[in-house]
Amino acid sequence: MRSWGVCSIGDDRWTNQWPTASAVLGLTGACMGVDRHSPEQVTAWYSGFMVCTLSAVAYRHKRRRYHESYPSLLSDLQTIRNSLNANGRLRKDTIVSHRGYITDCIDIVAIIPVHNEAEEWLEQLVYAIQQPRFTPYLGRRSNPLSAPMVEPGEGVTAVQSTVDLCDHLFWRLSALQVGELCPSECLLRLPYQLRDESVTFKEAWFFTGKDMVSDQRMGFLRFFTNRTVLCYRRRIEGPKKNEE
């Protein structure tokens, strides 16, 4: 169970269906011991990487090939104080808030360094994820990890192009499953800087549109305002009948 926060203003806080770059770097930054109260550390960490995500958005049952299901959305009620209203001001009264969560889903993430120092951090991150400095959780403290974030022995992977990167993520996702459910369709969120106009890429990935990221957090934590993310979909074919 996880919650990828959409907006921190108002009574209700729902969840995205996939992690944003901010969520990924916040999660990995906790493992590295980045102090979120330090503008210098947070600025260096968040500005050192690009993030590409591939999320399963539909599943087929392992034993019923043509039966599709989807990640589950749920919510609960919590009482909170000092929430922000629509004007960005603190409310002093206690309010009842809806909190959204998503379950039964798989996300594969690529973290791409943008300078030499960040490449060194990436090498350190491989070990930090296995022995985190701060406790990692999936959006909220009530959502602990249900599986390791990396496979045992996994290290940094070098790729030569955006096509190679996305294909690597695709085949990794294709090999995973949730219980008896295997991914049947996935959504790729690609930073605009990594766009690929080649025929090979366009034949593999169906473009669905652009997403302009608008960060609504306060203060120095706003790093992802007005960033363009390209969205693509791709079907994951199941095994042929004679292979089942």
Side-chain angles (χ1 to χ4, degrees):
M1 187 169 74
R2 63 201 73 184
S3 184
W4 307 123
V6 179
C7 179
S8 298
I9 297 176
D11 297 351
D12 301 331
R13 299 182 65 179
W14 300 108
T15 177
N16 271 329
Q17 289 186 286
W18 39 77
T20 60
S22 176
V24 172
L25 293 178
L27 182 62
T28 53
C31 295
M32 283 285 288
V34 175
D35 184 355
R36 68 176 183 175
H37 300 293
S38 168
E40 294 78 14
Q41 290 187 33
V42 173
T43 300
W45 181 256
Y46 273 67
S47 59
F49 302 94
M50 292 185 291
V51 174
C52 175
T53 63
L54 184 66
S55 302
V57 294
Y59 298 86
R60 67 177 181 279
H61 197 281
K62 190 174 182 180
R63 304 183 188 278
R64 291 175 289 175
R65 181 179 176 187
Y66 299 105
H67 176 75
E68 280 202 331
S69 60
Y70 305 91
S72 302
L73 293 172
L74 55 91
S75 67
D76 67 358
L77 295 172
Q78 298 184 18
T79 56
I80 59 173
R81 298 186 64 184
N82 300 323
S83 63
L84 295 176
N85 60 25
N87 296 323
R89 297 178 181 177
L90 285 177
R91 297 180 54 166
K92 297 182 180 180
D93 56 329
T94 300
I95 65 172
V96 176
S97 171
H98 284 89
R99 302 301 176 96
Y101 304 87
I102 186 170
T103 66
D104 301 329
C105 47
I106 303 174
D107 304 291
I108 301 290
V109 175
I111 303 173
I112 304 106
V114 298
H115 52 68
N116 292 336
E117 188 174 9
E119 290 184 9
E120 298 179 5
W121 298 341
L122 192 61
E123 294 282 356
Q124 299 170 24
L125 178 60
V126 174
Y127 301 98
I129 285 177
Q130 300 174 53
Q131 296 183 339
R133 174 79 178 277
F134 300 129
T135 302
Y137 51 86
L138 299 177
R140 298 200 181 115
R141 291 184 177 89
S142 60
N143 301 347
L145 299 172
S146 59
M149 284 189 284
V150 298
E151 297 290 339
E154 185 175 6
V156 176
T157 301
V159 294
Q160 302 300 319
S161 66
T162 297
V163 172
D164 291 342
L165 169 66
C166 296
D167 281 349
H168 180 73
L169 296 179
F170 180 80
W171 295 117
R172 287 289 300 273
L173 182 69
S174 302
L176 300 176
Q177 64 184 63
V178 178
E180 292 291 308
L181 298 178
C182 304
S184 61
E185 186 175 3
C186 56
L187 176 78
L188 173 70
R189 290 173 57 84
L190 188 70
Y192 186 78
Q193 299 93 315
L194 296 180
R195 65 189 182 280
D196 192 317
E197 301 295 334
S198 67
V199 174
T200 301
F201 185 84
K202 291 181 177 180
E203 288 179 345
W205 299 93
F206 176 73
F207 179 66
T208 60
K210 299 178 181 179
D211 184 13
M212 183 66 73
V213 177
S214 177
D215 198 332
Q216 301 183 30
R217 292 174 298 180
M218 305 298 292
F220 69 88
L221 290 173
R222 298 181 63 179
F223 291 103
F224 293 90
T225 301
N226 300 328
R227 293 200 178 191
T228 302
V229 177
L230 304 177
C231 302
Y232 302 85
R233 284 185 180 253
R234 183 171 175 179
R235 294 289 299 179
I236 302 175
E237 299 297 332
K240 297 180 181 179
K241 190 171 183 179
N242 59 359
E243 295 176 351
E244 293 181 340

